[in-house]
Amino acid sequence: MNDKQLVSQALAAVLDNALSIDDISNLLETPKKSEMGDLAFPAFSLAKTLRKAPQMIAADIAEKISSDGFEKVVATGPYVNFFLDKSATATAVLSEILSEGTAYATLEQTGENVAIDMSSPNIAKPFSIGHLRSTVIGDALAKIYQKIGYNPVKINHLGDWGKQFGMLIVAYKKYGNEAAIRQNPISELLKLYVQINAEAADDPTVDIEARDWFLKLENGDAEALALWQWFRDESLVEFDRIYTELGVEFDSMNGEAFYNDKMDEIIDILSEKGLLTESEGATVVELEGFENPALIKKSDGATLYITRDLAAALYRKRTYKFAKSLYVVGQEQSGHFKQLKAVLKKMDYDWSDDIYHVPFGLVTKEGKKLSTRKGNVILLEPTLHEAVKRAQAQIDAKNPDLPNKGAVAHAVGVGAIKFYDLKNERLNGYDFNLEEMVSFEGETGPYVQYAHARIQSILRKADFQPDAVVGKTLALTDDESWEIIKLLQAFPDIIARAARTFEPSAIAKYAINLAQAFNKYYAHTRILDENAEKDARLALAYATGIVLKESLRLLGVDAPEEM
Ligand code: ARG
């Protein structure tokens, strides 16, 4: 039982059904100062029902309540303040983590699926920092949902279709060099793409040719398809290298092209339901409250991004029977996802309510927007390698004899980039500063990893065996331990909040707090001293290590045993 449950039950027992347990639990507050106890109940919430002054209600409750499990229960003005029994709480929390290990806070399987549209880079274009954010946030959400009992389905909705492929084919036929593309696919294809777009700005025939090629592609023309397939394969080789580096895998690589033969059905349903109208030759769905209608088919018959997303949404519902369907995509696409949901709603699919756009903000570099054209770019692969190199340099300085230095440096360097991304609330963008990310000081991944590794080294020195202390009283009552115990106890709530709000940042911030609380404890306490509390102190260190490691795992970050 956690602290909120304990307090809610004690309150319910004296409130005579004036409030339900859930209501009580929702009303409980955490006092700003620890002198005011661990949890507080605001008695003014009952003033109307009981027709009494809140101060009197608080005093009544404090008098009647059973103090079992509490150090004390006191009324302070209109609040009832609960002070948990520290040694009982410490024993309960530590024993639970000791016996469950990293399964602590794992919930039972619900059997329900959560579809997560994530990463989704565009073929023949570089993998951007936006795609990195989508990959890292999506992967963390998958792990968080799995922890609370769902089965995540990670879908890479590759941008492998659309008029840009018409442009690319035109460019390739004019200027393409097969060998150069085989050497350096994405940068060569990007060059072609940039060149042809510049040309199209002055020469309208380029655009017409591109549209023709895209239509050929949509109609299955062999030459167009072969070129498309080749561009796609070459790009995927590069993307796969990045995914391997990041340690991220997918359950489905069905990109936009996968839905080519599934869009007719969408158009049929829309038309049967009388939702299609003509507008300037194009086929659209009018949407109330939107500035623009949803464009389903262009005047030349070519389909669009949203048409493919409609087909994808229906396919996912049928295939995965999802309880929720998430789209981890930059906030600049909010309009698109609002339209997508609105069209599905008009098609009478109530499950459109289970679709969530999970937007995120922009990354800047030295305070400036990234722009391929202006040369302000972050190239992902070299950046990952640089992060690992910097991690390696710090490890060389701190711990030159460390075994597996390369693997640890990789975990630290790549973990640093992921952690920095995830500690920011999604919608807040951030400035990409590698030096800060990889630092062992401050609110960083390496800082948390280091706290974890320090704990493992203490446990090794003490030859700590969790089984040997399970069942013992693990009473710790000093302030520094108490702060850690309360954090450990809060872990399940933090995970639930991260899942509900689609915010891995809740877990990253929590991991920073826990690492800081442990470092404070470590500075104050001689953990290895031989005395009566030694077992409890080691149990505290062990439990903190477990929860730090599990927090990092949920963020897709490894926790080396030594660093
Ligand atoms: N490929 C798109 C882009 O890079 C993102 C796709 C997001 N997913 C989706 N189902 N629309 O902008």
Side-chain angles (χ1 to χ4, degrees):
M1 183 154 44
N2 69 26
D3 51 347
K4 273 200 172 164
Q5 289 162 330
L6 186 74
V7 170
S8 313
Q9 279 186 15
L11 278 165
V14 300
L15 286 181
D16 284 340
N17 300 321
L19 288 168
S20 73
I21 289 242
D22 283 348
D23 289 339
I24 298 174
S25 174
N26 289 332
L27 284 166
L28 292 176
E29 296 172 16
T30 305
K32 295 236 158 29
K33 293 189 194 138
S34 57
E35 300 93 85
M36 304 302 278
D38 301 301
L39 281 170
F41 176 74
F44 36 82
S45 54
L46 286 168
K48 271 219 175 111
T49 336
L50 302 180
R51 298 160 174 272
K52 267 209 263 180
Q55 282 85 341
M56 284 181 61
I57 302 175
D60 271 2
I61 294 178
E63 202 191 296
K64 277 199 222 147
I65 216 150
S66 145
S67 55
D68 282 357
F70 301 110
E71 195 178 284
K72 57 185 179 185
V73 180
V74 290
T76 312
Y79 282 96
V80 188
N81 293 328
F82 292 82
F83 295 75
L84 296 177
D85 177 335
K86 293 197 174 73
S87 43
T89 307
T91 302
V93 172
L94 295 179
S95 308
E96 190 174 345
I97 302 174
L98 250 43
S99 51
E100 294 190 1
T102 48
Y104 172 57
T106 303
L107 300 186
E108 249 172 69
Q109 283 297 315
T110 63
E112 291 191 296
N113 291 338
V114 174
I116 307 179
D117 184 307
M118 53 182 271
S119 197
S120 312
N122 300 318
I123 299 298
K125 290 201 191 153
F127 193 102
S128 74
I129 290 292
H131 297 120
L132 174 75
R133 291 211 76 186
S134 169
T135 310
V136 170
I137 297 170
D139 194 47
L141 289 174
K143 293 185 159 94
I144 293 166
Y145 270 89
Q146 189 158 46
K147 179 92 178 160
I148 62 166
Y150 290 87
N151 175 38
V153 185
K154 299 194 275 178
I155 304 166
N156 194 333
H157 189 78
L158 290 167
D160 58 2
W161 207 252
K163 203 193 108 197
Q164 72 269 27
F165 288 94
M167 289 293 247
L168 209 53
I169 293 173
V170 174
Y172 179 72
K173 292 190 75 80
K174 280 189 152 168
Y175 313 109
N177 171 339
E178 185 174 338
I181 297 179
R182 292 209 187 275
Q183 273 278 306
N184 251 325
I186 293 191
S187 64
E188 283 303 314
L189 291 172
L190 182 68
K191 263 192 232 157
L192 286 179
Y193 188 65
V194 170
Q195 185 178 0
I196 202 73
N197 272 292
E199 208 174 300
D202 306 322
D203 177 359
T205 59
V206 172
D207 214 57
I208 296 169
E209 272 180 77
R211 258 192 281 162
D212 284 349
W213 273 108
F214 180 53
L215 273 180
K216 278 194 193 173
L217 192 57
E218 286 218 296
N219 294 326
D221 175 86
E223 186 186 4
L225 268 177
L227 282 172
W228 167 80
Q229 187 72 48
W230 178 45
F231 297 154
R232 187 180 192 273
D233 292 347
E234 294 286 358
S235 293
L236 275 183
V237 171
E238 286 208 34
F239 294 160
D240 277 341
R241 275 209 310 274
I242 295 176
Y243 294 134
T244 305
E245 198 80 25
L246 292 173
V248 173
E249 284 169 6
F250 297 91
D251 299 299
S252 161
M253 296 292 282
N254 290 338
E256 294 187 43
F258 177 75
Y259 300 99
N260 281 337
D261 60 356
K262 299 173 181 61
M263 284 182 286
D264 284 348
E265 185 190 359
I266 294 294
I267 296 183
D268 288 347
I269 301 173
L270 287 169
S271 133
E272 264 166 43
K273 293 197 180 274
L275 296 171
L276 292 179
T277 50
E278 293 282 303
S279 165
E280 296 162 35
T283 311
V284 306
V285 175
E286 291 291 343
L287 297 170
E288 298 76 35
F290 282 77
E291 226 174 277
N292 297 308
L295 190 52
I296 303 293
K297 238 184 187 186
K298 288 207 209 162
S299 48
D300 63 7
T303 57
L304 290 134
Y305 185 49
I306 195 168
T307 327
R308 292 186 279 281
D309 255 328
L310 285 165
L314 183 58
Y315 176 85
R316 288 173 195 176
K317 184 63 195 175
R318 284 176 179 159
T319 311
Y320 308 120
K321 303 181 179 55
F322 56 71
K324 284 184 176 28
S325 181
L326 316 183
Y327 292 78
V328 186
V329 185
Q331 63 177 341
E332 64 285 354
Q333 292 194 30
S334 307
H336 167 75
F337 287 102
K338 282 198 184 116
Q339 284 204 337
L340 178 66
K341 282 186 70 157
V343 176
L344 290 167
K345 186 117 211 159
K346 286 203 135 192
M347 294 167 88
D348 294 325
Y349 295 132
D350 347 329
W351 48 263
S352 65
D353 292 338
D354 305 324
I355 287 184
Y356 298 87
H357 175 210
V358 178
F360 52 81
L362 277 183
V363 173
T364 56
K365 194 175 150 201
E366 281 148 21
K368 288 196 232 58
K369 269 198 180 174
L370 297 171
S371 150
T372 321
R373 269 187 305 122
K374 293 186 184 142
N376 199 33
V377 281
I378 300 170
L379 294 172
L380 200 55
E381 268 192 291
T383 305
L384 285 169
H385 295 156
E386 177 64 24
V388 173
K389 218 170 86 190
R390 291 186 187 210
Q392 177 95 44
Q394 294 189 75
I395 294 167
D396 281 338
K398 272 185 190 269
N399 193 354
D401 301 325
L402 178 73
N404 293 325
K405 257 198 281 185
V408 175
H410 190 271
V412 173
V414 173
I417 292 182
K418 288 187 181 185
F419 191 92
Y420 200 88
D421 187 290
L422 293 170
K423 78 164 181 175
N424 292 284
E425 275 167 42
R426 277 187 284 108
L427 278 170
N428 297 340
Y430 60 89
D431 202 60
F432 199 95
N433 180 336
L434 200 54
E435 181 156 333
E436 199 179 311
M437 290 173 174
V438 183
S439 166
F440 279 45
E441 311 297 331
E443 302 186 343
T444 66
Y447 175 80
V448 178
Q449 286 171 320
Y450 196 73
H452 170 267
R454 165 179 280 161
I455 290 172
Q456 305 317 309
S457 123
I458 298 169
L459 297 172
R460 276 194 301 273
K461 259 188 215 142
D463 191 23
F464 178 74
Q465 303 299 333
D467 291 347
V469 296
V470 172
K472 289 193 184 174
T473 301
L474 300 167
L476 290 169
T477 54
D478 61 287
D479 290 349
E480 286 82 24
S481 314
W482 186 234
E483 197 181 325
I484 296 175
I485 299 285
K486 300 259 295 188
L487 282 167
L488 296 175
Q489 190 180 36
F491 191 43
D493 278 350
I494 301 289
I495 298 170
R497 172 146 55 88
R500 192 174 61 243
T501 57
F502 310 124
E503 273 293 358
S505 64
I507 291 174
K509 289 188 177 131
Y510 169 84
I512 294 167
N513 289 339
L514 184 57
Q516 285 172 342
F518 185 82
N519 284 340
K520 200 160 99 194
Y521 175 73
Y522 180 78
H524 273 259
T525 319
R526 294 155 70 123
I527 299 180
L528 293 171
D529 268 8
E530 292 299 337
N531 60 27
E533 284 189 348
K534 184 179 172 195
D535 276 347
R537 287 194 304 267
L538 286 170
L540 183 76
Y542 176 83
T544 305
I546 292 278
V547 174
L548 285 177
K549 180 177 183 163
E550 186 62 359
S551 301
L552 289 172
R553 187 191 67 80
L554 291 173
L555 302 174
V557 177
D558 286 336
E561 294 291 299
E562 241 184 294
M563 62 189 264

